[in-house]
Each structure stands twice: as structure tokens, then as C-alpha cells.
Amino acid sequence: MTSATHADCLTGCEPLLGAGEIGKIGKIGKIGKIARQMWAPQKPPKIGGHVGGMIQSCISNGVMAADYSRYVNAFREKMDSEGSFCGEFWGKWAASAALAYEYDPSPRHLQVLKDAVGGILSVQEADGRISCSAADFTAWDLWGRKYVLIGLIAYYDATRDKDALNGAARMLDNLIGVTQGAGKKVTETGLAVLQGLSSCSILQPVVLMHERTGESRYLAYARHLAQLWEQPSAYSERGLRLISDSLAKKAPVRIAVPKGYEIMSCFEGLCELYRVTGEEEYIRAVLSYMDMVLEREIMIVGSGSSGELWCDGAYRQTQVLETPMETCVTATFMKICRQLLCITGDSKWADWLEISLFNALAGAMEKDGSWWAYFSPLQGCRVPSPVQIEAMQSSCCVLNGPRALLEVPKWCVTEHKDGISVNLYQQGVYHAAWDSREIVLAQNTRYPVEGSVSIRLVGAPRAEYAIDLRIPEWSGNARIRVNGKDEGLDGMRRGGYARIQRKWRAGDEIQLDLDICPRVVKAPGNPVYSALMSGPVVLGMSPRFIDERPESLWLMDSAAEKARDGQLGISYYRVQGADGAPFAPVAEKCEVPGALTAYKIRFVKRPVHFFAHSETDLLFCDYASCAESLTDGTPLRVWFSQPQYMNAVFPKDSRATVSGEDAFSSSP
């Protein structure tokens, strides 16, 4: 067994980077030698466990329960003519509905999609235009058109309905005519305060249309759009410079307008443009940008932003931030991580997908899947998204959260030229293929509540190929056995893939054991603050389980020994340093109704130098379960100081700050 350095892809496409090139961009793999495109249908998995429950709830009570006729009507009545953003709703919903149908291809789901696509095509104008605005280039015109294209393409990918693709082509031809054909810069459309950033994100569906139609004019237009980013415009004397500033490793907060959602949407498009051209500059820019996002912006739960903007949030995450971690940012971060997992095969993108899934995304979804949070703090109360536009009865985040969740079946098990990779451990049955032959895996596990994962090959060709298991960066120890035989750990490392290359057959069983013991994480911006994680799950404090009281507590190190002074007849604990030295908490796993996972964590009370020291336990649960619902107003806390004053654990009256209400409650 060796550590695999191949580049996986998401639905079976051959990696675009050669083996041994993870973490750097060097020789480019063969563009065009793709066994299956990223967008091609495949037999869906049947995911059980916690994630499977989330997906089913989201589909039944969210996506397929939505009144999509409202979203179509917005186009019929041109509701964005005065600057609103109703145009994004149909496409976001349709993209999620198409993923829902791919995962659960029921006749009812198909009929819902057919009706919704028929509705949007019924408002297409004679020249191909589909817009929510009566006139071109209102504030969110191109942004809305982008999402219509994405929705039509998603429907085509799921059904191969050529009417949808033809409708998208007519729509895109119209857009090319009124922009490039008329000498209108896309970077000079949309909101000036965003320097045209939202309009520029239309790059992604333009490239997707080239991939599906083979039309060279769409590729030429995509290149044109990327070039515009580097040029001055009426909105920006300097230009957006997304590519050049990223290559120069500028901090995300210093590149263009640091609107996290929109700018990552632009880089999603750049990933697609690299996929079809192989031009290294594109992927170098994306990787440089996203590495800086990981370093400076992404918080412990796998999301970022304050006020929907990048803010060097990784260093500020111990604070009570204004409107933190917009769900649209979470979803877009996960979508671009999926892109980079496909292109590079670097397991760190799968690590972050997993962390976002179990924490930021899970915490943002109402338990029954019917609604989503707008903002999700690390200190304070989650904020359910308001109905942003009454006629839509929904919001940007309510429609964007499902897009990230329903992409999970696409990346949990993936294919590559040497075999398959297992990226997510979750109860269920998973389908993949190698050498055009089907492989069926059955996972039996309670992960991430427990670290034990059993993978049985229900169906497998009798042949030699590789099964690669992701070993997360956080797993200090891992053990793998095949059919009861220990495979050893030679060549295996954290933050990579353990490759098992052998002749497989149906009935073979792999046993993987990962270390999910709670561990201490130090805050990047302030080493006095700590947080706790168990595997990929962030643990938090909730007043559901912890009472505030006037005392200070220190997190106890499992290596700490109680000192004894015979002269005074006292026992005491020494003061801990703040230098980030290795530190393991004292933890006892416990079952808590309504929580995914929970631990009793040992703390030390040290009221005065050497006297009256004692121990006490505090109950921590997974971040997503700190509140029973989005609307119950329960505050939470992830980061805690050393020591933590227990009478001020949960921020008081923080809701207005977290929700942004205080910004609009006073006169300008």
C-alpha cells in the first residue's frame, strides 16, 4: 500500500494534472482525453446516515416543496426592471432540482422539472433573450441571466432534453450580441459598487455551453470575458485584475471587490475555462487565490465572510462579527473546492468539503430541510434568512444551500484512470466504474460519530486496480485492513490517499479506522483562544447544556498531573502556557438527544494560585446541533479563552449585530 498522488475527478473524468503534481502546477495532463465529463450522469449513490438524512429532508421539504411558478412569473412581469434580483431565483432552484432528480429520479421529480423548464422557456423572447428586466444591463440583469443558463444546463445534463440546450444557446447568442457584438463591456454592467463582478461570473455557464455544444464562438466569448477582468473599465480605473492579482498572491480582501460569493463564482468559471483550454495561467490563478482564501478567510467550520465580504476572517473569528458566514459563501466555497478536487486530486479540497458539510452547511440548514440560515456565527445566534422579496417567498441563501448539499453525491466516491477514490465516509451504497466496469461499494459506518468504517465490495470486476482511501489531515492515527489482514502504514500519510492496489473481487472488505479523539485547535489570530474538534466536526458550547456562572475555567490537558505540596497539604494544577504546545483534552463521549455527537470535556477551576483547585465537566456538542432550530434564538460559542469566564460565555444581545438589523435600525 502506498500513498496515492493521483488526481481524482468528480464523476469519472480523467485528471487534468499529471501524477505527482499535487500542490503545484507543472506539466498538464491530456486535455480532451476525458473518460466521462464532470457533468455526465452516473448511477447515483444511496447515502444513509446523517448526510443521507439531510439530503432527503432538503429534497422533500425544501427543493421539491418550493413554488417555482413564482420564479417564472418574475420573468413574465420583468420584476428586476427597477434593480431587484428576482432573476437569480429560478436558476438556483432549477440547478438544485436537477441534482435532486439525478439523486432520486422519480417520475414526480421529473415532471416538476419539465414543468419548470417549460415555464421559463415560455417567457423567452423572439430574439432569444430571457431576462427579468425590461431593459438590458440593470443592476442584476446579467447575474439573473447567468442563473437561467445554469438552470437550463443542469436540466439538460440530467435529462438530455435538447429543447433546454437550444433555449440556452439562443439565450447566450443574444447575450453575445448585446455585449461583445455591440461593444458593451460586461465589466461595465451590473452594480458599480461591485465593479461589475456579479455580471462577470457569467463566465461559468458560457464555458459549460461550449463543452456541451462544441461551438467555438462560446469558447471565444469565454476567453474574451476573462480578458476583460484585466482591463480598465468605467467602474474601475485599474480593472478587476482577478487573475494577475491572484497570481501576485494578494490577500483576498485586497483583490477587486472582496464580495466572497460573487468573486468565487468568477473563479468557478475560470476552473471551467482551464478544463477546456489547459492554459496554466487560469488554474494557477485559481489555486493561488483559493490558497490565500484558506489561509486568511476560511474559519474553523469551513466558511467565511463578514457582511458578505472577505475580511481576513481567519484571524478575526474569535470576535462577534457582523453578519458572518453567509450561506451563499459556504455553498460557493464548497462548489469551488469540488472543482479543485477534480482538477488537482489534492485531498485537502476533500478535507475542506467535509468540514464545510458537517459544520457550516449542516448548521445553516433547518433540521427538516425547509429553510436555511442567512448568517451563521461562531459566537451568537444563527439568523434564519428573511424572505428577501415577498413575491418570491424565498431568499438567495435558501436557494443556494441546497446546491452545495445536493452536489455531495457527486464527490463522495470518484473515479480515476487507476481505479476509484473514496472521499467521504458515510453509510450507504456507492456506484463507480473502472475500465467501463461497475464497482459497487457498501459502507457501514457511524462516521463521523465513530472513526470505524467498513467498506464491502458488493459488486466488483475480478481485476487489479486501485482503491484509494482519503486519510484526512486531522487523523493522527489510521489503520487499514483488507479481509482482516493489516495492510500496514508504510507510505501512508495524513492529508493524502492511501492506495490499496490489488486484485479485487466481490465480497472483499476494507476496514478503515480513523482517530476522531477530540483535539484542541488554536485560533490563528489569537493563541489564547482555543476550540475543540472531533474528526471533521467542530464542537461548540450551548446554553442547552451549559449554565453560565461566575467562575473562570481552564481547559484541562490530559497530560496534566496534579501537583502535591506536603507542607501546606494541598493539591493544585500548574498554569498553562499559551504557546500552542501539544495539548490533548480530557474527553468522555456521551449521547445527547438531538445532537450528532457530544462529549463531556474536563476543565479546571483555579480560583487563587495554589488553593481550592477542582475539576468540572462541560458538555460540548457538534456545532450544527448547538441550537435546536434556526428560530429558537439559542446562542452558541465555538472559541473560548484560556481561562474562560463562565458568566459571559454567550454574547448578550448579539442578534442585531449578527443579523445586520442594527445597520438599518438607525437613520443614516
Side-chain angles (χ1 to χ4, degrees), residues 524-574:
N526 189 341
V528 171
Y529 279 83
S530 299
L532 295 169
M533 294 185 72
S534 168
V537 176
V538 174
L539 303 176
M541 291 187 278
S542 168
R544 295 173 62 197
F545 312 120
I546 293 176
D547 294 325
E548 292 189 319
R549 51 191 185 269
E551 61 185 22
S552 292
L553 298 180
W554 297 75
L555 182 65
M556 182 175 177
D557 188 347
S558 62
E561 294 183 0
K562 215 169 189 178
R564 175 73 182 170
D565 184 272
Q567 182 184 30
L568 297 175
I570 59 172
S571 298
Y572 62 93
Y573 288 101
R574 293 184 173 86

Side-chain angles (χ1 to χ4, degrees), residues 475-518:
S475 183
N477 298 294
R479 183 186 181 193
I480 297 175
R481 286 163 285 165
V482 178
N483 297 331
K485 181 182 177 182
D486 199 322
E487 290 291 303
L489 298 178
D490 292 343
M492 191 168 70
R493 60 184 176 83
R494 296 186 303 169
Y497 291 92
R499 169 162 291 186
I500 311 172
Q501 180 88 33
R502 71 193 302 272
K503 288 185 178 180
W504 296 98
R505 62 181 180 180
D508 285 343
E509 186 164 346
I510 304 169
Q511 180 68 38
L512 170 66
D513 293 301
L514 297 170
D515 178 10
I516 63 163
C517 291

